[in-house]
Amino acid sequence: MGNSNLHNKKSIVYGLVDGNNFYVSCERVFRPDLNGKPVVVLSNNDGVVISRSNEAKALGIPMGALFFEYEEFMKKNGVKVFSANFPLYGDMSKRMMNILSEFTPDIEVYSIDEAFLKFAGYDFVDLREYAFKIKNTVWKYIGIPVGIGLAPTKSLSKVANRIAKKFPEKTGGVYYIDSEEKIVKALKWLPVEDVWGIGRRLSKRLNAIGVRTAYDFTQLPDLWIKKNMGVTGLRLKQDLLGVPVLELEHLSHRKSIATSRTFDRVYSDKETLQEYISSFVAIAAHKLRKHKLKANGLVVYIRTNYHNTKAKQYTKTEVVTFPFSTDSTLVINRYAQEAFSVIYRPGYEYKKAGVVLFDLVPQKMARRSLFDSDDSNHSELMKVIDKINDSVGHQIVRLAAQSDAKKGWKSKQSKLSRRYTTDLNEVIEVKAK
């Protein structure tokens, strides 16, 4: 641990705030009768389990469990099942992030339920107590339980957060790695497959050479790490040793944004499918702008229903590289429609379609073209459209080519809760006697 600079970097501390069983917790905010009971939330089309309460975990229901395989088990054990209510979860996430931003100006929203906080110049603040204040404030104002990990680096704050949530009785939901002794203890406790950025495939290779824990990984020679993991692996090693090399925005932006749907029924006509492709583009482009990114390429794909063995089968993908970086729905849709026309074949019954935006870059690093017109004159229009849709309702303003959001491409959601915070027709009703 000799190369740790923990002691001369006390002025910078990173915190990772993570919502506990976030989707389930969002449902419980408006259904307090579910507290202490097993609850699960399902993915699009009610396919697999994507969030579990601790009680559901105790029953042995695994993450990713196929609902149709566990449906009878859940009924017998009184498990409450919800379809994913992303409008509700997204709004609750936004509220949580707004609260967190009041405690430090340096915040990186990492996912819908996670955010990194950077505390620079908080030398005279008891950060452990400060973290408890953050935790209690989030609970008080929106009712979401969170775990908080504090450490001198981002990677270690991930580890600290894991410890905080793994041992709630001892930590109270907050854990601070504030010494070299705690770094070593935490790294020896954490399996290497659970290290942020390692993953299953690489962990198998590491296990094969005797690397079982995060600590073992930090003891590997730099030469081996660079050869097998590149510069990113070396940076991860340094970060785990307490040397802050991963800044808030490092590795934070997404590599791709995908939007796809399995339709409620099959479609054959080109016009209907074109409408859906336009809708997928609009959703993906909105996410692109939300993350202040631009795309350099697009993938469009369609496929038939492979479960229907009696029907003719067809699947096709088309990849398009843009002449310039763009976040314009208009530009992306033009290329998407051209790609769709290439892969569409009449006479087939299509069950699923989707688009993927790839090679994403921050807006300030956007690539321009000398010969093709860019989308610079679309910027203000996109801002207005996003502002209206964010405040009034999803896809209220949309391209003429888009499908109606109420049409049949919507996912199966037979157990959907109400959109308590985003739809006036579904807010909580209080009956006074």
Side-chain angles (χ1 to χ4, degrees), residues 10 23 82 119 157 188 228 272 362 403:
K10 285 185 177 180
Y23 296 163
F82 289 94
F119 301 103
S157 72
K188 287 184 175 181
N228 291 274
T272 299
S403 63

Side-chain angles (χ1 to χ4, degrees), residues 403-415:
S403 63
D404 188 331
K406 296 179 180 179
K407 291 176 69 173
W409 63 269
K410 292 178 65 178
S411 302
K412 175 186 176 184
Q413 295 177 307
S414 62
K415 303 177 185 298

Side-chain angles (χ1 to χ4, degrees), residues 363-382:
Q363 291 174 344
K364 60 185 178 181
M365 296 174 61
R367 173 169 54 86
R368 296 183 179 275
S369 172
L370 291 175
F371 305 104
D372 296 274
S373 299
D374 62 22
D375 62 357
S376 57
N377 59 337
H378 295 173
S379 178
E380 292 304 316
L381 174 61
M382 295 299 111

Side-chain angles (χ1 to χ4, degrees), residues 34 37-39 59 71-81:
L34 298 176
K37 298 179 181 178
V39 182
L59 289 174
E71 186 172 8
E72 287 302 317
F73 176 83
M74 292 181 187
K75 287 180 180 179
K76 290 180 181 178
N77 288 274
V79 179
K80 183 64 178 177
V81 181

Side-chain angles (χ1 to χ4, degrees), residues 25 29 35 99 133-146:
S25 294
V29 169
N35 290 329
I99 292 172
K133 182 178 180 181
I134 295 172
K135 180 177 183 292
N136 294 335
T137 301
V138 173
W139 173 257
K140 177 180 179 180
Y141 286 104
I142 61 172
I144 298 293
V146 299

Side-chain angles (χ1 to χ4, degrees), residues 372-395:
D372 296 274
S373 299
D374 62 22
D375 62 357
S376 57
N377 59 337
H378 295 173
S379 178
E380 292 304 316
L381 174 61
M382 295 299 111
K383 288 180 181 179
V384 172
I385 291 176
D386 290 343
K387 184 176 182 179
I388 294 173
N389 285 338
D390 288 342
S391 61
V392 179
H394 182 58
Q395 292 195 40

